[in-house]
Amino acid sequence: MLSIWYCMVDQNLLVLLCVCGNYEYILVEKRGEKKNVGFIQLNRPKALNALCDGLMKEVGQALDAFEADGDVGAVVITGSEKAFAAGADIKEMQNRTFQECYGGNFLAHWNRVSTVKKPVIAAVNGFALGGGCEFAMMCDIIYAGEKAQFGQPEILLGTIPGAGGTQRLTRAVGKSLAMEMVLTGDRIGAQEAKQSAFELTLAEGNRLEKRLFHATFATDDRKEGMTAFVEKRKASFQDN
Ligand SMILES: *[C@@H]1O[C@H](CO)[C@@H](O)[C@H](O)[C@H]1NC(C)=O
């Protein structure tokens, strides 16, 4: 992994392009004069690019193809001006049990982007929340537009980040700000995210985080938090 660097870019650079491919949830093409940039655009506009299982599987397939393609030197992953990805797909998670999450090692395959051998750039504008923030942080470089918003709001749904959020955020923005973000669910903008960044060994922290994330599926509050989100009402937590 390279370091993560946050930079400001003109949001016009993130204007969306019409690209084609055989995917349902993403648009994929090779771009640039020499067609040596692998380009992936998350494309579930109605769901603000919520990261459903099918979308993440397709991203994995596109990354496999770009990694195997000798002509591709780097990969760019982007969303829309409104949302890089507003989060994981809460409806998919709402009724999951602890046993299902733990037994199936839920979210384990999300890590694919962090193991790609070529540089992966996240071009982020709009929401990069929850799984969207984690997904961006798995990339080697984040270019953030002025409207970018980063956050880990899982606590508002009675759960915790489950795809590296607690680990990579600490390394990206420092422990204090990361703790504040994870414990309050508050968001930060591109300017605030533009801090120096470094990456240490993640494997242990990620393994523990994944199991703690699974453990939230054994609580009533996690179920209530996600059900309230799906039903568009305020959650009523009982601390159970
Ligand atoms: C989850 O289960 C509840 C009933 O307990 C049901 O009303 C709801 O539609 C289910 N949600 C999903 C996304 O399947």
Side-chain angles (χ1 to χ4, degrees):
M1 288 294 290
L2 307 174
S3 303
I4 302 172
W5 294 85
Y6 293 93
C7 309
M8 307 297 300
V9 292
D10 189 279
Q11 70 192 50
N12 291 334
L13 286 180
L14 300 179
V15 163
L16 304 179
L17 307 134
C18 189
V19 289
C20 308
N22 300 319
Y23 295 95
E24 185 179 350
Y25 301 111
I26 58 176
L27 304 171
V28 177
E29 71 167 12
K30 288 202 273 179
R31 303 192 50 184
E33 230 168 82
K34 296 180 190 161
K35 300 282 177 217
N36 57 0
V37 178
F39 182 84
I40 300 172
Q41 185 183 346
L42 311 182
N43 187 36
R44 291 185 78 199
K46 281 186 191 149
L48 295 173
N49 292 335
L51 303 172
C52 61
D53 202 48
L55 185 149
M56 292 309 286
K57 281 201 177 116
E58 288 188 358
V59 168
Q61 286 162 13
L63 291 172
D64 288 345
F66 285 146
E67 188 157 76
D69 186 336
D71 294 338
V72 170
V75 177
V76 173
I77 302 178
T78 194
S80 69
E81 206 177 312
K82 210 167 171 190
F84 175 73
D89 193 307
I90 304 301
K91 276 188 194 165
E92 266 185 8
M93 284 195 262
Q94 185 191 354
N95 290 335
R96 274 190 209 221
T97 63
F98 167 73
Q99 288 85 345
E100 285 164 358
C101 288
Y102 193 91
N105 203 2
F106 179 44
L107 298 190
H109 67 285
W110 277 39
N111 276 341
R112 175 67 184 109
V113 67
S114 68
T115 62
V116 174
K117 295 189 191 77
K118 300 173 182 180
V120 181
I121 298 167
V124 176
N125 221 348
F127 303 124
L129 303 178
C133 187
E134 294 174 303
F135 187 38
M137 290 192 293
M138 284 179 209
C139 300
D140 297 306
I141 301 172
I142 297 176
Y143 286 108
E146 290 284 357
K147 289 186 197 153
Q149 281 186 40
F150 299 91
Q152 300 290 161
E154 287 85 351
I155 195 159
L156 304 176
L157 305 182
T159 187
I160 68 164
T166 65
Q167 303 301 303
R168 291 195 178 87
L169 193 62
T170 312
R171 291 155 173 91
V173 302
K175 180 189 153 198
S176 176
L177 182 55
M179 289 289 279
E180 186 184 335
M181 290 171 70
V182 171
L183 293 175
T184 63
D186 288 351
R187 303 169 188 176
I188 58 169
Q191 291 288 0
E192 206 172 344
K194 194 178 164 192
Q195 306 274 347
S196 66
F198 58 94
E199 189 154 353
L200 305 174
T201 307
L202 284 173
E204 276 307 311
N206 276 336
R207 253 195 299 279
L208 177 61
E209 178 206 64
K210 184 82 72 253
R211 289 324 197 181
L212 290 173
F213 167 70
H214 293 158
T216 68
F217 282 75
T219 69
D220 293 338
D221 280 349
R222 194 284 318 165
K223 180 80 188 287
E224 164 62 12
M226 290 193 177
T227 298
F229 178 88
V230 169
E231 293 175 358
K232 300 189 186 352
R233 61 172 172 80
K234 198 166 184 291
S236 165
F237 292 121
Q238 308 297 325
D239 294 338
N240 288 318

